Amino acid sequence: MEKLGLLMFLQLVLCAYAQRPVPRLEREYVYVERTLTWYEAREYCRKNYYELFRISDDNNLRNVIGSARQLSWIGLVRWTVNWKWVDDTGAVFLNWYKVGSCAAMTHYGLWFDLPCQNSLPFVCQNGPLKWHFSQWHVNWYGAKYSCNTHSQNFASIWNAVENYNATGGILDIAWIGLSKVTDNTPLKDTWKWTNDQPPTYSNFFTTLFCAAMDRRGFWYDRVCFEKNPFVCFRYNESVPEYKLFSEKKTFSEAQSHCETWGMNLAMVKTLAENTALQLYVSENSEFLQNSLYFWIGLYNDPWFWSEGSSAIRNWNSMEPDGKDFWDQTISNNVQSCVATMDGEWYDEDCLMPRYFFCADKVRSVTLVLEPKSWEEALDHCRDRYVDLASLASDGEQRVAVRRVKDAQSSYVWTGLRFLAGSWFWVYGDDLQYDNWLNGEQPQCPVTRHCGALAVASGKWEARSCEEKLDFICFQE
């Protein structure tokens, strides 16, 4: 009779499995202590788990904080520039100040677009990797003429090696042979070398991410952690109402300050709104004091997760800045990727080998803080969730260990049960992965027929099924 009772119980447990809903999946982070580039790390995660880890909510962010022992990759990378307003609408009307149509290079190898009439030294070229540096100050057109009259070419740069070598004689900044197309053609405002060839390599200084406006109404892209005055606004019966603050703040600080007034940083979506804001500022220009710019509510967010989207951002207060952790400028011929340390994010050269976070797909579990016997816990999970949870992989074990930290009992019930001479998961999973105390299954337990997870050690132990413990369930 005892054997028959056990078989009936086993049949009841297992037949219920076929009628149960499937647990939902969630993404669990795995910290990998191997030094790989961002691209290699992504390939490793895809091969061994699922993808580089995406921080999709504040809970993800809290879990990662403290997990990275050094600067470590996450799945965020810069691909394109996408300007949008602080209300999350895209920017259609733009009023950028056109800095210049001719290119100059600094002695660090960075390129800047400047007005062609500026007087600067220049670089000529008389063969592959043969540069002639002139300290004679002329405008861009004069530099081009001077190179040609001396049977030389105005410097053209086609790769990172040439860019590095071309800086050898530059003391500060010098013209190179790159200018914008001014003809009214589909190529207008694109760049070309003096031989009319488009550039296949560029190294323009592009570390600017937030928009500021001057008193004339022109816009400038600036680093977001620069401190400027700012203008807040809101609509009052469909009429824009502005408020200029002279206190200098970073872009995010300025937006937060506006929100305390029930306002946003100024949004300028039409030429009429741009003119209205310009008039308001000119009438209150004494508040700007000596400042050249003030923040408006436009910023670009060129950062995309390698797997799915997320609005979560947790930049260090001086990031992103287009430089790596050692303040070296990231070359424009590689993408910028995001690494985290102490919970803060940094834009880094994707080719730098680092540790990284992978995302692993595991079944979702929840901790129930209601002490029950094992069979009571089983009924509770099947009535309100899916089933008592199996821990069928290393990833699910990690999830469970983190979930049970808040348990009020020293152990929590899992879906492990001993019947008819063997242990099994009541949800029907194979018992290939295990994490038993002392590294081996309890054999023929006399009274301890139910499996629990030890909160302190994370190990599995056999316990009496009548004990009252908290428990973990699969979530639908």
Side-chain angles (χ1 to χ4, degrees):
M1 289 295 293
E2 180 181 353
K3 184 177 291 187
L4 178 62
L6 289 174
L7 290 175
M8 290 178 63
F9 177 76
L10 179 60
Q11 184 180 15
L12 176 65
V13 166
L14 293 179
C15 73
Y17 164 69
Q19 304 168 1
R20 292 287 150 185
V22 177
R24 74 165 182 254
L25 295 178
E26 63 180 37
R27 288 159 178 76
E28 162 71 4
Y29 76 81
V30 180
Y31 188 52
V32 182
E33 294 184 344
R34 297 184 59 176
T35 51
L36 301 178
T37 69
W38 189 89
Y39 306 105
E40 292 169 340
R42 188 181 190 193
E43 183 178 353
Y44 179 93
C45 291
R46 284 177 159 181
K47 181 179 179 180
N48 294 282
Y49 297 100
Y50 175 63
E51 179 59 278
L52 274 171
F53 190 60
R54 168 174 57 101
I55 298 177
S56 57
D57 55 39
D58 290 335
N59 187 51
N60 287 156
L61 186 60
R62 285 191 297 270
N63 287 336
V64 168
I65 291 174
S67 298
R69 298 163 181 81
Q70 57 179 269
L71 212 56
S72 306
W73 294 129
I74 54 177
L76 193 61
V77 63
R78 186 180 68 191
W79 293 113
T80 60
V81 175
N82 178 28
W83 287 93
K84 61 183 181 180
W85 295 101
V86 289
D87 64 354
D88 285 330
T89 58
V92 178
F93 169 76
L94 298 168
N95 195 41
W96 298 115
Y97 178 72
K98 304 299 183 184
V99 176
S101 298
C102 293
M105 172 194 282
T106 70
H107 62 290
Y108 292 112
L110 295 173
W111 302 4
F112 288 82
D113 52 330
L114 298 175
C116 301
Q117 299 303 323
N118 284 16
S119 290
L120 299 175
F122 54 95
V123 183
C124 299
Q125 188 175 7
N126 53 14
L129 298 182
K130 294 181 179 179
W131 314 97
H132 174 74
F133 305 94
S134 173
Q135 296 305 322
W136 182 36
H137 284 58
V138 294
N139 63 32
W140 188 89
Y141 305 102
K144 178 182 177 183
Y145 176 79
S146 179
C147 290
N148 290 340
T149 56
H150 289 85
S151 300
Q152 296 176 333
N153 296 315
F154 209 171
S156 300
I157 298 170
W158 300 97
N159 56 56
V161 174
E162 290 185 358
N163 193 68
Y164 174 78
N165 286 313
T167 63
I170 299 176
L171 299 179
D172 184 21
I173 190 169
W175 290 124
I176 55 177
L178 190 65
S179 63
K180 279 186 179 178
V181 176
T182 57
D183 301 333
N184 192 19
T185 69
L187 296 177
K188 186 175 181 180
D189 289 332
T190 62
W191 291 91
K192 66 175 182 177
W193 294 105
T194 50
N195 62 0
D196 289 330
Q197 293 298 310
T200 57
Y201 167 85
S202 67
N203 197 36
F204 278 106
F205 182 71
T206 55
T207 63
L208 310 174
F209 295 98
C210 292
M213 183 173 172
D214 69 11
R215 305 176 197 214
R216 300 169 298 170
F218 289 117
W219 303 359
Y220 301 80
D221 47 349
R222 309 294 299 173
V223 285
C224 299
F225 51 78
E226 182 178 276
K227 293 194 173 184
N228 288 309
F230 54 99
V231 176
C232 301
F233 103 119
R234 63 183 163 213
Y235 284 109
N236 186 359
E237 296 182 355
S238 300
V239 177
E241 174 186 329
Y242 300 105
K243 187 170 182 63
L244 175 60
F245 292 88
S246 60
E247 182 181 359
K248 293 184 178 182
K249 294 182 178 291
T250 66
F251 182 88
S252 59
E253 290 170 345
Q255 171 62 10
S256 297
H257 190 86
C258 289
E259 289 172 354
T260 64
W261 286 75
M263 307 173 82
N264 278 311
L265 277 171
M267 289 183 275
V268 185
K269 300 185 179 180
T270 65
L271 179 60
E273 290 179 352
N274 198 69
T275 302
L277 178 56
Q278 180 188 352
L279 289 173
Y280 168 79
V281 170
S282 65
E283 293 170 356
N284 297 272
S285 58
E286 69 274 10
F287 290 103
L288 287 178
Q289 300 172 356
N290 296 322
S291 299
L292 297 176
Y293 315 107
F294 56 90
W295 290 126
I296 57 176
L298 184 67
Y299 67 99
N300 77 42
D301 187 9
W303 302 94
F304 289 84
W305 292 98
S306 54
E307 180 259 321
S309 62
S310 171
I312 296 291
R313 298 290 186 270
N314 198 48
W315 296 109
N316 174 276
S317 62
M318 299 295 284
E319 301 284 332
D321 62 353
K323 296 183 179 181
D324 65 21
F325 198 64
W326 295 274
D327 207 35
Q328 299 298 309
T329 299
I330 299 171
S331 172
N332 274 7
N333 65 340
V334 297
Q335 295 292 340
S336 294
C337 298
V338 178
T340 183
M341 184 172 67
D342 296 330
E344 296 185 325
W345 300 1
Y346 301 81
D347 59 330
E348 296 289 313
D349 184 339
C350 302
L351 301 180
M352 180 66 66
R354 301 192 183 284
Y355 292 176
F356 52 96
F357 288 91
C358 291
D360 194 12
K361 278 189 173 180
V362 297
R363 292 173 292 184
S364 179
V365 300
T366 186
L367 171 67
V368 180
L369 299 174
E370 296 181 28
K372 294 181 182 293
S373 69
W374 187 90
E375 291 187 17
E376 290 171 343
L378 177 68
D379 290 340
H380 185 97
C381 288
R382 289 182 169 178
D383 287 343
R384 303 188 185 185
Y385 298 98
V386 176
D387 210 332
L388 270 173
S390 310
L391 306 181
S393 68
D394 186 58
E396 291 183 344
Q397 170 74 19
R398 284 195 305 273
V399 171
V401 168
R402 199 152 54 235
R403 293 286 192 277
V404 303
K405 286 181 179 178
D406 295 327
Q408 297 169 354
S409 53
S410 299
Y411 297 86
V412 296
W413 288 128
T414 68
L416 268 176
R417 183 66 192 252
F418 184 84
L419 277 175
S422 63
W423 288 95
F424 63 94
W425 292 111
V426 293
Y427 190 70
D429 295 293
D430 291 333
L431 194 55
Q432 295 178 343
Y433 171 83
D434 66 58
N435 193 40
W436 290 103
L437 182 68
N438 300 323
E440 57 185 35
Q441 283 188 14
Q443 298 298 314
C444 299
V446 178
T447 59
R448 300 188 172 197
H449 291 172
C450 294
L453 178 68
V455 174
S457 67
K459 296 294 183 179
W460 306 351
E461 297 185 31
R463 310 291 299 179
S464 170
C465 300
E466 300 306 314
E467 279 191 69
K468 302 289 186 178
L469 303 177
D470 297 335
F471 50 97
I472 50 176
C473 303
F474 279 139
Q475 293 193 94
E476 187 175 358

